Amino acid sequence: MQKISVLLFLVWICFLFYAGIALFTSGFLLTRLELTNHSSCQEPPGPGSLPWGSQREPRACWMDSRFSRLVLVLIDALRFDFVQPQRSNVPGETSVSLPFLGKLGSLQRILEIQPHHARLYQSKADPPTTTMQRLKALTTGSLPTFIDAGSNFASYAIVEDNLIKQLISAGRRVVFMGDDTWKDLFPGAFSQAFFFPSFNVRDLHTVDNGILEHLYPTMDSGGWDVLIAHFLGVDHCGHKHGPHHPEMAKKLSQMDQVIQGVVERLENDTLLVVIGDHGMTKNGDHGGDSELEISAALFLYSPTALFHRAPPEEPEVIPQVSLVPTLALLLGLPIPFGNIGEVIVELFAEVEDSQPHSSALAQASALHLNAQQVSRFLHTYSAATQDLQVTELRRLHNLFSKASADYQRLLQSPQGAEAALQTVITELQQFLRGVRALCIESWARFSLVRMAGGAALLAAACFLCLLVSQWATSPGFYLCPLLVLVAWGLAGVILCAGLLAITGLKLDPVVLGAMAAVGSLVPFLWKAWAGWGSKRPLVALLPIPGPVLLFLLIRFAALFSDSFVVAEARATRFLLGSFILLLVAQLHWEGKLLPPKLLTIPRLGFSTPTAPPRHNSMQALGLGVTLLLCIRLAEFFHRCPEETPVCHSSPWLSPLASTVGGRAKNLWYGACVGALVALLVVVRLWLRRYGNLKSPEPPVLFVRWGLPLMVLGTAAYWALASGADEAPPRLRALVAGASVVLPRAVAGLAASGLMLLLWRPVTVLVKATMGAPRTRTVLTPFSGPPTSQADLDYVVPQIYRHMQEEFRDRLERSKSQGPLTVAAYKLGSVYSAAMVTALTFLAFPLLLLHAERISLVFLLLFLQSFLLLHLLAAGIPITIPGPFTVPWQAVSAWALMATQTFYATGHQPVFPAIHWNAAFVGFPEGHGSSTWLPALLVGANTFASHLLFAVGCPLLLLWPFLCESQGSGKRRQPAGNEGEARVRPEEEEEPLMEMRLRHSPHHFNVALLQLGLKYLFVLGIQILACALSASILRRHLMVWKVFAPKFIFEAMGFIVSSVGLCLGLALVMRVDGAVSSWFRQLVLAQQR
């Protein structure tokens, strides 16, 4: 098995996971581009004269205002049937089972007494039916989705054009009271605000009572133009009790009294809007797209007549976003730029003028303004992105052009064209509804087929990792023929895609990628099962130990609980601590920690251990206790999720610049610099212990001199960043320049070190002498080159075992005239030395992206890793000549520690917890129009732990060989060869350690393949669980707040981890290839 085949196979496995993630994401996450354009009175939405009705006031903004004041009463989760009278509209249910009916009687009385002053609508909300997304829709008129791709990732604040922004621009006084979600959406926008916490769904009255305390006094004061009151009691009652509980009737009765009080205080120039942002299910939840969830009530009322007709028997059904353009024109404001709603035309009829033609012309004018604005948005959006269908765009453009031309002709001759006017109204409505349908199709629709296909592909990839990790040890298992089948599968998919393109069908890259994955997976599974799987029972192919299997099942099942996801940081620490205790107990029970004298005592149920222990009991116990202590210390750097208000985040996550008090800041700065120095010292001591620091190779020289420079640059940058505000004015320019240069210099040094390591990865000390080699050497080359590649692969262990004794006599006979002898020191740690050096080079730029005090966590990260590796190495047997295997418990503990470090560095799987300041490290003035570089910096900050542990994953295979006892280094020769066993007592050779891996190249490659597959399996199980939980619970209350962000972070973490894993394995293979090349050149030089 070739190394390149192993790497290509793992890359293909990663591609299967990526295709499954992309396919699931395309069906689950609703995305669109967020535009920041704004409408204004000075820029009409399109060419043409002012609409009919506005010509009398040249200063009018698009259209004359009909109302000067607005009262918006938003009753959260006010389902449409909540405003119905005491009768049931739900099939199969009687009025007795519906206590919420008839409780809003004031609305019905107004509709009956003043039919021309009020109207009730059934508004249809677009999914997702969560409060934040609905508030965005009610103010922007668009279809907000879970991910609004734009320039504002750091907060929930709306940057799109919206009604609140238009009101502020027009000088209107906006007063708000209620749900504090508005504070995040519109920070600093209100002239007066009374915010109340909204998270506690068990509290039915705090928010509502707080509003009532300020509502009526504010209305009576008159110091407002727009008053918004957002009540939460109905929504919280649904979550706590459900809609059929008597408490719901009480809460609706309270809302009825609120509406009565507001109506009594309205003046003639005021419009009252009572609306629900969404509905609720029979269980009181919302977030999905069921009929009960998207059906909300909308009630309009004014003391003056609004409508020239009586209301219909059944309320009209309108899209919820239609309220935005309607309110904008009624208040004399520009329609928000991104609105795709359609005005409610009956509100623009001439109530006092009984002529049908005048009313129809006024409605057509409002519709035409609305259509011009939507056409402008559609043109701008389609120019910025390509996610709208070109054919449908062209059809809608032609429809709007025709309707607009007909409208302009009617304005030239407005008399006697009733039929033509109705045609124009119909065409404009068709255009507006067509645009909305197009956007809904592109932005706000779940694709269950894609979600199921993505989850199935993820499950298949996990299953494949599990099976191949066991099949790899079978005799005759080779990857090259199977990779040929994979290539044929990909070629078939490409051919199929070409045929689809020729036939004119739409080509979706995500679907094509999934087809490529499936097309390559099926022939592989068929060939693999025919060759290996059918020869053994299926149970034998799944030898996961019981504790590890239980751990994986717990992790898998727990991701279906929103409470666990919220508290995952604490749960991860508990699981990791339990895992460590289990490892220590298992080692002790298996006899690997017993003193040598007790190894011969038989133990009940267990065979006598054949290998000596690598650690005594106290040493292993000390490793476990120290590891638990490090985990406990890392807990102090935690960030509390916003769902746990009683929790307090660590103050140490903030930068030193925010620290109050010069003494405290200096002490913390000293501790942070001390952590940097300690990290440097630990790495150098480790390299010196295994002798690699004596090598004259460029990477080692860089470790000696380059790493101190990186520490110095990082410490200097922290000093400048923490005291930039205190710098004298004459030095601020210098400080600003240094803040740019220092981080870039550290990153450049790290990149240089990695390049040097890839160029010369063999860090050994080579000496040339004219006499016999000194003691404690590991290599003396022989005369004559190997005859084949196989001989070259096996040459190193043979040299270790036989060649020193063979050449000693010859060297002694020619002390002064003999041939040159070459001795190489410390080859036994050549792989792990390169890995530790690479991880150190990676750690410093990643550390620079975090707050200063996170350096203490990075120091703990390295200590935890070394301690865990030593503890795991005690339980991993070394079989000579192979196979070499990393147990499942080691891989699981490593992956769990990566998750624990993610939380220990102050991260949470939610967007508000992202450390956005990382994007400005080295770029304090921003990045201009570039988006990939800040995204890279923020991603490196967020997933630093995933990257470091994935790159360092090969250490799980290398460390047991590295821990080979130095005391057992006496020359050990094969039994029965007494002539070769005669060694001088004072002469010892280095332990083979990692060179044992080269004794069996095939087993070495198989071990790397198994390690990669096991790590991908453990990570894949987590992303599969997140995908299934988000899919099954897509109508759950917390799906968009907990499950969807968790899926996104797990998906991104998997991508980063898989790339890091491939890079780590590639580095091991690069070192192995360099060692082979080094020996080849050494042998040829000795021959000459």
Side-chain angles (χ1 to χ4, degrees), residues 780-794:
T780 305
F782 58 92
S783 177
T787 59
S788 66
Q789 180 66 33
D791 293 340
L792 181 64
D793 291 334
Y794 284 90

Side-chain angles (χ1 to χ4, degrees), residues 109 293 568 682 790 850 924:
R109 287 192 297 271
E293 292 171 278
E568 188 180 17
V682 167
H850 290 76

Side-chain angles (χ1 to χ4, degrees), residues 549-833:
L549 182 60
L550 178 62
F551 158 75
L552 293 177
L553 290 177
I554 292 175
R555 286 281 293 169
F556 186 89
L559 290 173
F560 286 79
S561 168
D562 61 319
S563 300
F564 174 84
V565 175
V566 170
E568 188 180 17
R570 290 180 294 167
T572 301
R573 290 192 295 268
F574 172 78
L575 287 176
L576 184 58
S578 302
F579 218 97
I580 293 169
L581 294 177
L582 178 63
L583 287 174
V584 175
Q586 183 179 6
L587 290 176
H588 180 74
W589 187 252
E590 292 177 354
K592 297 180 180 179
L593 302 179
L594 294 175
K597 293 182 180 181
L598 298 180
L599 289 175
T600 57
I601 302 176
R603 303 172 68 225
L604 181 62
F606 290 87
S607 59
T608 302
T610 57
R614 301 190 191 165
H615 303 287
N616 57 44
S617 299
M618 294 304 299
Q619 183 179 359
L621 187 60
L623 288 174
V625 171
T626 308
L627 188 53
L628 292 175
L629 179 62
C630 290
I631 296 173
R632 182 72 178 107
L633 291 176
E635 183 181 353
F636 289 102
F637 299 84
H638 70 283
R639 178 186 295 273
C640 296
E642 61 181 14
E643 291 82 4
T644 56
V646 295
C647 178
H648 299 284
S649 297
S650 172
W652 300 346
L653 297 176
S654 59
L656 287 179
S658 62
T659 303
V660 179
R663 182 178 178 83
K665 182 183 295 186
N666 293 335
L667 290 176
W668 272 114
Y669 178 77
C672 296
V673 175
L676 288 179
V677 175
L679 181 60
L680 173 64
V681 170
V682 167
V683 173
R684 292 191 55 159
L685 288 178
W686 185 90
L687 291 173
R688 177 173 294 177
R689 179 180 184 274
Y690 289 100
N692 300 97
L693 197 62
K694 300 178 181 180
S695 173
E697 295 295 332
V700 178
L701 295 178
F702 191 88
V703 170
R704 294 178 182 175
W705 305 107
L707 277 182
L709 289 178
M710 294 170 63
V711 172
L712 183 62
T714 303
Y717 172 73
W718 285 350
L720 295 177
S722 60
D725 296 336
E726 304 171 2
R730 62 175 181 232
L731 297 179
R732 288 182 180 176
L734 179 62
V735 171
S739 299
V740 175
V741 173
L742 288 175
R744 299 184 185 184
V746 172
L749 287 173
S752 302
L754 290 173
M755 295 301 296
L756 290 174
L757 185 63
L758 292 176
W759 175 45
R760 301 289 293 273
V762 180
T763 56
V764 296
L765 176 62
V766 180
K767 290 187 177 181
T769 63
M770 296 300 297
R774 298 181 181 180
T775 61
R776 298 185 62 78
T777 61
V778 299
L779 173 62
T780 305
F782 58 92
S783 177
T787 59
S788 66
Q789 180 66 33
D791 293 340
L792 181 64
D793 291 334
Y794 284 90
V795 69
V796 179
Q798 298 300 325
I799 290 173
Y800 266 77
R801 295 182 175 181
H802 305 292
M803 300 310 297
Q804 281 188 335
E805 190 68 27
E806 181 179 345
F807 284 97
R808 184 177 291 109
D809 295 337
R810 185 188 305 175
L811 293 173
E812 290 179 352
R813 288 195 301 267
S814 55
K815 292 182 180 179
S816 59
Q817 303 294 330
L820 186 66
T821 303
V822 180
Y825 294 81
K826 304 303 178 183
L827 267 172
S829 58
V830 63
Y831 297 103
S832 55

Side-chain angles (χ1 to χ4, degrees), residues 22 43 106 119 151 185 232 234 286 348 499 554 556 578 741 760 779 883 891:
E43 298 180 6
S106 61
R119 190 73 88 238
S151 60
L185 295 177
L232 286 176
V234 173
H286 58 89
F348 296 91
L499 294 176
I554 292 175
F556 186 89
S578 302
V741 173
R760 301 289 293 273
L779 173 62
V891 179

